[in-house]
Structures are given as structure tokens and as C-alpha cells.
Amino acid sequence: MSVRQPKWAIWRRSYHDKSYGYREPRRFVMPDYSPTQLQNRTVNAPLLRYVDALRTHGHRAARIDPLDLLQREEVAALNPWRYGLLDDAQKYDVNGIVWTRPVGSAADLSDEWTLGDITQHLRAIYVGRIAYEYMHSPSKTERLWFSHMLESQAPTQAVFDTKQKTRIHGLLARSETFDQFLQLKFPNLKRYGLEGGESMLPALDALFASAARAGVENIVLGMPHRGRLNLLTDLLQFSPEALFHKIKGGSDIPEDLGASGDVISHLVASPNLQYDGAKAPLQVSLLPNPSHLEAVNPVALGKTRAKQFSLLKKLVASGTAPNECFPGDKVMCLQLHGDASFTGQGVVMEGLSLSNLPHYTVGGTVHIVVNSIGYTTPASSAHSALYSSDIGKMINAPVLHVNGDYPEDVARAVDVAFKYRNHFRKDIIVDLLVYRRWGHNELDEPSFTQPLMYEKIRSRSSVPALYEKQLIAEKVMTEDAATAVRSSYKSLLASELEAADSRPPVKVDAVMFQGSWAGMSWPASSDAVREPETGVDHETLLGVGRASVTVPDGFEIHPRLQRHVNNRLRALEKGSGIDWATAEAMAFGTLMLDGCDVRISGQDVGRGTFSQRHAMLVNQRTEEVIVPLNAQLQCEGRLELANSSLSELAVLGFEYGVSWESPDILPIWEAQFGDFFNGAQVIIDTFISSAETKWLRQSGITLLLPHGLDGAGPEHSSSRLERMLQLTNDGYEFDDSPIASNVNMHIVFPTTPAQYFHLLRRQIKRNYRKPLVVASPKGLLRLPAASSSLLEFGHNTRFEPVLDDATVDKSKVKRVLCLTGKLYYELVAERQRLQADHVALVRIEELSPFPFGRLASVLGRYDATSEFVWIQEEPRNQGAWPHVSERINAVLEHLGRTKHILYVGRASDAVPAPGISKIYSAQRQAIYQTAFN
């Protein structure tokens, strides 16, 4: 049903909505009230107020706490007498007030109910074991949808047949048996079991079934450690034998790859599940995650988004209209959370804020908060809201609270959550209230801090036992049948444990190079191509360069951008003076011509923080947007320019998730200033730098971190090269073998646009993937000296890890200054002013992997040199010096030199740069003087 939008909404959507990747979810609209219903709402206004009070406040009186420990005050708003409704036998026309019939049917017919019947009906829905919060939504359509669906279909009364009940029982019983088995066989193991929260499994099973029947084919799942092993070995079909092998100290990854693996609570699986009524199997991909809680959330979002776009490209290639593939149609993101981390970790808020942004939406995420009711910290100390789920209200997400002691109600709540997500393609939260039977882990003693809670827990039957007793009473199953479920599963686990010791080694193909990664190589293998051809022929470069600034006739760009266009075209015609933005555009365009996608994300990336990129142009008369490379090249590869929210942690995690989905996309995250990656340090530490070693996950993520001291003060100067380099596993001893390049991350500080061009293309042209951290320029973006000729991009050219000084007579050089970055151009100018021809400048462009062999080849040419110096603009305790000093000394020793490398630069400091201009200038001048002394 179409609906007229206000003018402000149309204006809000007009900007960027035609750029590639701008996708909005499918829209769903409920019919409005009929005139008859509106009249009845006026006549029976007191009843309307009462009914809305039940919808709004019913959750506050609902029986959602399995331990009955939540402090619940009497909710006066739920009493009908407050609205003048005193007689339970009084009849009222509920048409347009209580929804008792299907949507749109008999909208003009009266429907009389007694006050008592109305109260009984609505309290059964809103004050039961499922509590609904949706009245805070500003969307009338969403509020109407919930009211209609809950009140006319009465999901709380939905009946489960014998097969469904038996399946729920099996999940619960096997989970409890599994935890008891592990406790018996491995009593000192921290397994983070699911005891007390077993209803998480029927919740997930119900969600998988609903999704599969609705046509979803892929679920990307991010979750913490609690209950992970139970989920893996049951629903996700992970081999118990493999788990026991891992618990006993065996490897779950190929042992000859040099990777160190991860703990059992981070294991993964990606099975294809079959559900009755589904047209296709459902692939559920559980992502590996670090112990840093909630950090996996944006990674799951990014992978979901990339998977959706992969499907979209296939549909477009087959001739299917893109409008038939909306976000969320075939791929769904599912996130499990702990209650304390959901409200306590800022990445949750950052991830939620991405949910409805057109370049980041995944068409709705289902969030399940496995809420242990405040263990070990009481809710009064854990968050400032009524519920831990209240953080979701920042995006007006509906919340369904459900009592985990009642698995059937849990399944009903999850089914409602999926229906909402599928209608509106927005996030929704299921707050699953459970408890922990053993505390934080099985070696913990929770009664130290929660004695009354654990006195109650230890005196009660388990969730599986309670449900089993219910089914026996209902004659759904016998005691013997229930016992058989447990005994047969225990026997299976025992046989799997016995087989664990003789488990064969894991094969490489079993854990890597599946799906879109087929054909890729392990970076340390003999078939890894480390220095691929990255140069491009002259005509292609010219064509791409021109296309990057070509706009249709009548498209009016900003007058100040005409100079940008003219300068680029002039440089291309001359074949010289190619700047950074042009080199980048040519790298993007040539990769696109090869069929690869490029996605660059960050704040203001369309124009660039320093107004240098302008890959996205806006018509000054209409605000129509064009991305010239997409419009002009008309190739399979596409460029997505995702101007992000003001977030670092979630946005970088999102792009990292994109990098996991396919090696045929170049995902780039650009910080406004290099310093600002600080907010995303968790993603860098726990994913980017270590995923290959822990999980054998390769990634081509590229970080552009503007770096360089230029008087801008402490927080706009440094990309903290020292931190990035410290995270690498780069070797210290001289090693010029090709295998030495298999470090976990590449850290570079290129000084020419051509070097940057080759680095970007190398990210895709190698047959393996590595994260790339680029200390990118600020002042060099338009510096004439920091430009390249077109010849430097042509065939038989590539990135050079070390750049020698071609301007000096090496026989006269007495001092070699080794350095990296923009300081090179300042020193060239100072050397020329002083006519200091006895000093050579050698640039180390790639800091990790350290180019031992290349540097030895270059420094070996300076036979007359008596002094080798490392010079940098960063303080001594920062920058590259802590990383390069020992490695350059290894090169000098290899060359037979007895003197070690000397240091020239700022003294150690607590900040990257001073905020007082006089101090900055004095420090810079001192560096110049020392360099040529």
C-alpha cells in the first residue's frame, strides 16, 4: 500500500540515494483506521486509554522472571477503574480499539465485548510469560502491526503439536546431558555451560525454522561463549569427537600451518540445516570471535551485508531486477548477547546506530539477549535503565521479554520477533530471562556474592526437568522415552570421547578455501604469489583517469571542483604530476575493470577528509549524486562510497566483516585522522592482527590512517605506527627469504602516489590476503614534489619496499639517513638549501614485513659511508624507531658494518606532538640541524 511521505522525508532520502550500495529495506505499511473506527475510538476514549495502558505498561507486571527476584511494584495504570471502567459485565464496541479480527476485515462492523472479556484477553497477551514493548515506536504502522498480530492471532495461545514438543524436549535434554557429561569427564574445564539457560536452544531452533520457511538461505551468527558448545554440538552439528580432541589438547586446525589456534569457547561451524516447509537448506555461519564481549557484532553485520551484495550481483548478472533483492531477503544477521555486555559495551550502541543507514543496513538483525538477571553484578549496578535491553530503544527497536523457564513461550516469542523483522526489516530484541546454575563458569562459587539467588537456584528443578515433567503430565511422552533421550545421547558422547584420541589430522581444505575463497592460497605456501604484476597499460590508465572526473552534460558540479577536474586531466595528458587522489582513482578503476568491487568507508570518504578525493560528485542544482567511475566504466566491478556515521569501532568492525566474505572485494576504512583509530583498537587487536593465527581467517582489509606531524597538535598527528608495528609478528633476525613476508599485517608508509597505487592493487592481485595498514598522507596530497609520472604505473612496475636515493653520488656520501614518510620531502628541501651532497636519503616504504634483503641491497651500495642514521619526526618512543632499530642493525651486521644505526629525532614524549606552535617549530628545526650536522 503506498503512502504519501512528508516533504522532509523525501529531501532526506534524495541525497546519495542513487550511488552504488545505497540500499533501503523493503517497506511495509499497515492500513489506517477507518472513519468508523476513529469515531468509536472517540466515543470509547476511556476504554482506549485502558487498552493502550495494557499495551504500554503490561510488561512491568508480566511474569517474566524465572527466579521471581525482579522487584515488581503494582502497576496502577493496569487497573480499569482508573479510567472510569467499573463494571466487568458492561459491553463495549472494541472495533478500532482491540484488534480481534484479521487486518482490513469488517472495519466498519461493531464488535462488542464485555469489560471482563477485554481484560482477560489483553492480560493473557501482555501480562503473561511474554512481555511486549513496542508502544515506544514512533511508527504508527509498527504499533498497529503489533497490536493486530498479537490481539487477533493470540500467539501466546498457539498450540505445539507432539512432534514440536518432542523436538524442544530433545534440545533441552541433550543440552543438560552434554553439560553433565563434560562436568564428569573434565571437571576442571571452563566450558561456560548453558545450565539454567537451556531454552536458548529451542529459541534458536524456532528462529532458524521461521527464517528457512520465509526464504532466508543464510544466517550469519555472532555470539559470546556461554552455551556455545551446546549450540555447536547439537543444532550446528559440530562433531563431539572434534571437541573432545580439542579439549584434550589436540589441534582443531592443520598443524603444519604455523597457526596457534584459539580456545574451545571460540570454535565455529557452518552447517546446512533442513527444516520442514523450507524450499532450500539454511546455512548458519557461526563466526569466530574474541573474548572481548560484543566485538563480533559489527563483524557479523559486515559479513551479512557483503553476502547480501554477492547475491545481488548474481541476480543482476542473471538479468533479474535489483528491486527483487532487498536487504534481508535471503541473508539474516543474528546476534546473541549477554545482558551485562549488551548494556555495558559501547560497540553495541555503535552497531545499533548502523542498522538503518543505507550503506550499512542488513535488513534487520534479530538480537537475543541471554539475560542471567544480573549475575554477577546486580542490575542496579550494571545499567541505569529498567532492562538491559533498553539500549535498543535508541533506534526504537521493539523488545520481547520472555521467561526462559517456559520453552514453548520462548519459541513463540522468537517467532513473533522474526515476523516483525521480516515485515519491517529492522532490528528487534528478544530478552530471554534465564539464570546461571554455576555462576560465571563451572569453577566459580557464585554464592560468594549472590547467596540468596543461589540458594533459590539450587533448590529448584532444571529447565529440562520441568519441561519433561510437563510433557509426561500431558502424555506427550513417557518417563521411559524421556530417559531414553538422555541415555542414548550420553552413550553417543562416550563413544565420541573414546574416538577423540585417534582423530586424524585436520585437512587444510576442511577449514579454508571454501565457497568464494576457493582457489586462494595460504600465505606461507610455496604457491603464494607475493609480488604480482600490478602495473597497468598506458591507455587503460588514461581511460580510467579521465572517467574518474567525467560527468554527464548538464550535471553542474561545484565551481571550486572544476579546478580539481582540470588539474587531473592536465596531469594525465602530460603524463606527469599525478597526485594521490588520481593514483587512487586509477587503482580503484583498474580493479573494477578486473571485476573486483571496492568499498571505502569512513567519515566523509566521498569527498575525502582533506577534500582531496571527490570520487562522488553532487549536482549543485538538484543534489543528484554521481560516482563517475561507476557511471563511466560500466563494468562488473563497482565502487561503493559509504560515508559512515561518527563511529570507529563498529564501522571498522563492519568493514572487517566485509573482508571475510569474499577475496574479490577491496574493503577500505579511512580514519579522519590516523589518531582516531584509537576508538577501534579492539577490532585491530582481536581481529585484524590475529585472526589468521587464531582462526586461519584471511582478510584484505585496508586501513588508511592520515599521519604526519604538521603542527596540528597531539590528536591530529599520529597513526601510532609504534602500536601497529608492535602488533606484527615480524622477525628480528636478518632474513631475505620470500617466506619472511608471511607476517600477520603489512604496515606501509608510502611517499609517492605510484607506490600507493601499487599497494592497493597488490591487495587484490595476490592470491592470498593480508591486512594492510597505510600511514597515509595529509600535506603530501597536493605537494607537487610528491607526485608521480604515468610511467611509474605502467607494465613491469610494482611497489618497492625500499627507495634508494638516485640523486646523489654514492662515492661521496658520508651519511645515510634512513627514514620513512613525509619527512623525506622536508629533508630534500633542507639538503638542497644547505647543499649537503654528502647525505643520502633512503626511504623504507614497507615497515612490516621488514625488507631485510632489499635494504641490504641498497645500503650495500654506499661503500664510502661511515654513518647510518635513522631519522623520524615522531618522538623516540613512538613512530617506527622501536621497530626498525634492531632490524636495521641486523642488516648492517649482515653487510659487515660494525657501527650500529644512530637515532635522530624528537626525544621521548607522552604525546605524539606538542600543541604549542613555537615548541613544534623548535623541535622540527633541531631535527633538520642534527640531520645535516
Side-chain angles (χ1 to χ4, degrees):
M1 178 178 178
S2 62
V3 61
R4 185 177 180 181
Q5 290 185 316
K7 290 183 178 179
W8 66 265
I10 297 172
W11 177 85
R12 179 179 62 83
R13 291 190 56 216
S14 66
Y15 189 61
H16 294 180
D17 62 355
K18 292 185 179 179
S19 64
Y20 176 76
Y22 188 106
R23 298 284 288 168
E24 290 199 336
R26 192 188 305 275
R27 294 184 176 274
F28 175 83
V29 179
M30 288 283 289
D32 201 353
Y33 301 102
S34 71
T36 301
Q37 291 171 335
L38 288 173
Q39 175 65 22
N40 189 47
R41 288 165 67 87
T42 302
V43 171
N44 289 306
L47 179 64
L48 174 61
R49 291 176 59 211
Y50 172 53
V51 170
D52 275 349
L54 282 162
R55 293 166 178 158
T56 304
H57 302 292
H59 65 90
R60 294 165 54 196
R63 303 185 301 278
I64 56 176
D65 178 7
L67 300 180
D68 198 26
L69 293 175
L70 292 179
Q71 295 181 1
R72 294 274 165 168
E73 299 177 358
E74 182 180 351
V75 184
L78 303 184
N79 293 324
W81 58 266
R82 292 182 67 89
Y83 309 97
L85 307 174
L86 305 177
D87 184 0
D88 279 353
Q90 176 70 42
K91 288 191 174 183
Y92 295 90
D93 184 357
V94 299
N95 187 25
I97 299 176
V98 180
W99 304 107
T100 60
R101 294 184 290 225
V103 175
S105 66
D108 294 328
L109 298 179
S110 65
D111 187 11
E112 292 193 347
W113 286 42
T114 67
L115 176 61
D117 289 341
I118 294 170
T119 297
Q120 182 180 2
H121 179 65
L122 294 181
R123 289 189 70 91
I125 294 169
Y126 295 113
V127 196
R129 295 189 293 259
I130 305 175
Y132 302 92
E133 288 191 272
Y134 64 86
M135 291 295 283
H136 59 274
S137 173
S139 168
K140 180 185 66 178
T141 284
E142 293 182 28
R143 297 194 305 271
L144 281 174
W145 180 87
F146 263 109
S147 299
H148 268 286
M149 195 268 301
L150 296 177
E151 295 164 19
S152 65
Q153 299 179 31
T156 55
Q157 304 303 318
V159 177
F160 286 83
D161 61 28
T162 299
K163 182 177 180 182
Q164 292 170 313
K165 290 175 182 257
T166 303
R167 182 173 177 87
I168 291 173
H169 171 265
L171 290 168
L172 298 174
R174 288 193 298 273
S175 178
E176 185 171 49
T177 302
F178 174 79
D179 278 326
Q180 292 172 347
F181 185 86
L182 285 184
Q183 184 65 32
L184 176 66
K185 300 298 182 180
F186 305 99
N188 296 319
L189 176 70
K190 291 182 180 180
R191 52 186 166 84
Y192 302 102
L194 198 53
E195 289 127 310
E198 289 94 345
S199 54
M200 182 189 87
L201 292 179
L204 293 177
D205 190 44
L207 182 62
F208 294 165
S210 296
R213 290 166 189 149
V216 174
E217 296 177 359
N218 295 272
I219 288 181
V220 178
L221 170 57
M223 71 173 294
H225 42 280
R226 183 159 311 283
R228 192 182 187 100
L229 301 183
N230 306 65
L231 173 62
L232 278 167
T233 53
D234 199 320
L235 278 176
L236 300 190
Q237 304 173 356
F238 189 87
S239 165
E241 177 191 318
L243 173 63
F244 297 144
H245 178 75
K246 171 78 172 175
I247 292 173
K248 288 185 169 187
S251 178
D252 58 315
I253 58 178
E255 298 183 21
D256 57 346
L257 295 181
S260 57
D262 203 354
V263 296
I264 61 169
S265 53
H266 300 162
L267 291 171
V268 299
S270 187
N272 290 308
L273 307 180
Q274 297 284 347
Y275 281 94
D276 293 342
K279 294 181 179 179
L282 175 72
Q283 184 181 59
V284 179
S285 299
L286 174 60
L287 300 187
N289 65 290
S291 290
H292 201 291
L293 294 170
E294 308 291 343
V296 74
N297 299 354
V299 179
L301 290 173
K303 184 173 173 61
T304 302
R305 169 87 176 192
K307 189 177 286 290
Q308 290 173 344
F309 266 74
S310 174
L311 293 175
L312 177 61
K313 287 193 70 172
K314 292 177 181 178
L315 285 175
V316 172
S318 66
T320 304
N323 287 337
E324 296 183 20
C325 183
F326 283 85
D329 281 359
K330 299 293 183 183
V331 189
M332 184 175 80
C333 185
L334 168 60
Q335 296 178 15
L336 270 64
H337 314 270
D339 53 302
S341 59
F342 191 64
T343 192
Q345 295 296 317
V347 67
V348 174
M349 182 275 290
E350 291 189 32
L352 289 171
S353 71
L354 296 178
S355 61
N356 297 320
L357 301 182
H359 285 280
Y360 298 88
T361 182
V362 297
T365 297
V366 175
H367 302 267
I368 299 180
V369 180
V370 183
N371 188 342
S372 301
I373 321 177
Y375 179 86
T376 56
T377 302
S380 59
S381 300
H383 54 82
S384 299
L386 180 60
Y387 303 110
S388 62
S389 56
D390 282 354
I391 187 69
K393 291 180 181 176
M394 63 170 282
I395 59 167
N396 302 305
V399 181
L400 281 61
H401 308 275
V402 59
N403 191 325
D405 260 10
Y406 300 89
E408 292 180 17
D409 287 307
V410 171
R412 293 183 183 108
V414 167
D415 183 60
V416 172
F418 176 77
K419 287 177 179 175
Y420 169 86
R421 179 265 177 199
N422 226 35
H423 272 93
F424 296 101
R425 301 300 165 86
K426 291 183 178 181
D427 289 30
I428 186 169
I429 299 166
V430 176
D431 182 19
L432 175 59
L433 283 92
V434 297
Y435 59 89
R436 303 181 188 183
R437 184 163 289 277
W438 303 114
H440 178 61
N441 60 63
E442 293 69 30
L443 308 183
D444 188 22
E445 179 45 73
S447 61
F448 287 157
T449 54
Q450 304 281 9
L452 297 182
M453 175 187 289
Y454 276 85
E455 181 182 357
K456 194 160 193 174
I457 288 173
R458 286 163 181 164
S459 66
R460 73 197 312 274
S461 298
S462 67
V463 176
L466 289 172
Y467 190 65
E468 191 170 287
K469 183 178 180 181
Q470 173 191 327
L471 296 192
I472 293 171
E474 294 175 355
K475 300 189 183 308
V476 170
M477 65 190 326
T478 64
E479 289 189 22
D480 289 343
T483 302
V485 172
R486 297 172 183 270
S487 59
S488 63
Y489 193 57
K490 185 176 181 180
S491 297
L492 171 66
L493 294 175
S495 63
E496 295 281 291
L497 177 61
E498 185 177 351
D501 291 332
S502 57
R503 183 173 176 80
V506 181
K507 296 181 179 180
V508 173
D509 288 342
V511 292
M512 297 188 298
F513 314 133
Q514 303 292 315
S516 60
W517 288 83
M520 300 298 288
S521 296
W522 180 245
S525 65
S526 59
D527 60 346
V529 179
R530 296 178 178 83
E531 295 186 4
E533 171 67 47
T534 54
V536 178
D537 69 88
H538 183 81
E539 290 304 317
T540 300
L541 290 170
L542 283 178
V544 170
R546 291 167 181 155
S548 68
V549 287
T550 300
V551 296
D553 292 340
F555 191 98
E556 186 177 319
I557 65 174
H558 193 282
R560 289 171 58 183
L561 289 183
Q562 195 58 55
R563 181 181 178 186
H564 165 82
V565 173
N566 294 339
N567 287 345
R568 180 168 297 185
L569 294 175
R570 190 179 304 115
L572 290 168
E573 295 305 317
K574 288 172 54 181
S576 62
I578 306 296
D579 63 13
W580 290 81
T582 303
E584 181 183 76
M586 292 194 299
F588 290 170
T590 53
L591 288 173
M592 291 161 61
L593 289 173
D594 292 338
C596 298
D597 294 329
V598 178
R599 176 182 161 100
I600 179 166
S601 173
Q603 298 141 27
D604 301 320
V605 294
R607 69 178 179 100
T609 292
F610 309 101
S611 198
Q612 85 283 3
R613 179 171 292 119
H614 297 295
M616 171 187 290
L617 300 174
V618 180
N619 191 317
Q620 298 300 296
R621 288 185 293 104
T622 66
E623 279 203 349
E624 179 187 357
V625 169
I626 188 172
V627 177
L629 283 175
N630 288 332
Q632 296 296 317
L633 296 184
Q634 293 293 311
C635 56
E636 181 182 346
R638 308 295 284 172
L639 170 62
E640 181 171 9
L641 297 160
N643 290 323
S644 78
S645 64
L646 196 63
S647 158
E648 286 81 37
L649 176 53
V651 171
L652 178 55
F654 191 101
E655 303 312 320
Y656 185 75
V658 170
S659 77
W660 269 2
E661 175 57 26
S662 171
D664 294 329
I665 183 171
L666 175 61
I668 300 172
W669 179 68
E670 181 176 60
Q672 279 192 318
F673 289 89
D675 318 64
F676 296 174
F677 85 85
N678 283 336
Q681 188 76 57
V682 170
I683 299 297
I684 295 167
D685 289 351
T686 59
F687 284 98
I688 295 176
S689 69
S690 56
E692 183 182 297
T693 299
K694 292 189 294 189
W695 311 314
L696 306 181
R697 290 293 183 106
Q698 297 185 45
S699 166
I701 185 72
T702 299
L703 278 62
L704 303 182
L705 308 178
H707 176 93
L709 277 65
D710 50 16
E715 273 83 52
H716 292 80
S717 299
S718 176
S719 65
R720 294 290 188 177
L721 278 171
E722 66 279 1
R723 290 188 195 167
M724 296 295 183
L725 292 167
Q726 187 182 39
L727 288 172
T728 70
N729 57 355
D730 201 6
Y732 285 88
E733 298 180 354
F734 186 89
D735 187 354
D736 61 352
S737 65
I739 202 69
S741 65
N742 187 38
V743 299
N744 58 328
M745 296 192 298
H746 286 250
I747 316 293
V748 299
F749 200 169
T751 56
T752 73
Q755 289 277 77
Y756 177 50
F757 168 89
H758 290 298
L759 282 167
L760 292 178
R761 285 184 52 79
R762 188 181 73 173
Q763 280 295 90
I764 292 293
K765 291 302 177 182
R766 289 188 296 200
N767 60 354
Y768 61 91
R769 295 290 176 263
K770 288 284 182 181
L772 174 66
V773 178
V774 182
S776 59
K778 298 183 290 181
L780 301 189
L781 290 170
R782 297 179 180 84
L783 184 68
S787 61
S788 300
S789 71
L790 210 54
L791 293 175
E792 295 174 72
F793 302 85
H795 281 314
N796 299 318
T797 60
R798 55 175 48 88
F799 172 74
E800 297 294 340
V802 181
L803 294 178
D804 195 4
D805 194 335
T807 66
V808 295
D809 182 346
K810 292 179 173 52
S811 64
K812 297 179 181 179
V813 171
K814 301 301 181 184
R815 169 182 279 192
V816 171
L817 297 179
C818 298
L819 72 156
T820 191
K822 79 173 183 66
L823 183 61
Y824 167 77
Y825 293 100
E826 298 170 12
L827 293 176
V828 166
E830 186 69 8
R831 181 177 65 180
Q832 185 174 358
R833 186 181 71 82
L834 298 173
Q835 296 185 347
D837 297 335
H838 65 289
V839 176
L841 304 174
V842 173
R843 287 169 278 175
I844 301 178
E845 303 269 289
E846 187 163 45
L847 298 164
S848 172
F850 193 78
F852 288 101
R854 302 288 181 89
L855 185 60
S857 176
V858 170
L859 297 187
R861 301 166 189 166
Y862 293 89
D863 294 331
T865 300
S866 60
E867 195 172 60
F868 293 91
V869 175
W870 175 262
I871 185 168
Q872 67 179 33
E873 58 181 359
E874 302 87 359
R876 183 177 186 130
N877 59 319
Q878 301 170 33
W881 171 248
H883 182 82
V884 302
S885 57
E886 191 170 348
R887 292 169 174 83
I888 295 177
N889 284 333
V891 172
L892 295 177
E893 291 173 7
H894 175 77
L895 294 174
R897 300 283 185 156
T898 56
K899 290 186 177 180
H900 282 185
I901 189 81
L902 302 176
Y903 171 82
V904 170
R906 287 173 167 81
S908 295
D909 206 338
V911 295
I916 299 173
S917 58
K918 286 185 179 180
I919 297 177
Y920 168 76
S921 297
Q923 291 177 348
R924 181 176 61 177
Q925 197 58 39
I927 292 174
Y928 294 164
Q929 291 175 355
T930 308
F932 298 103
N933 186 354

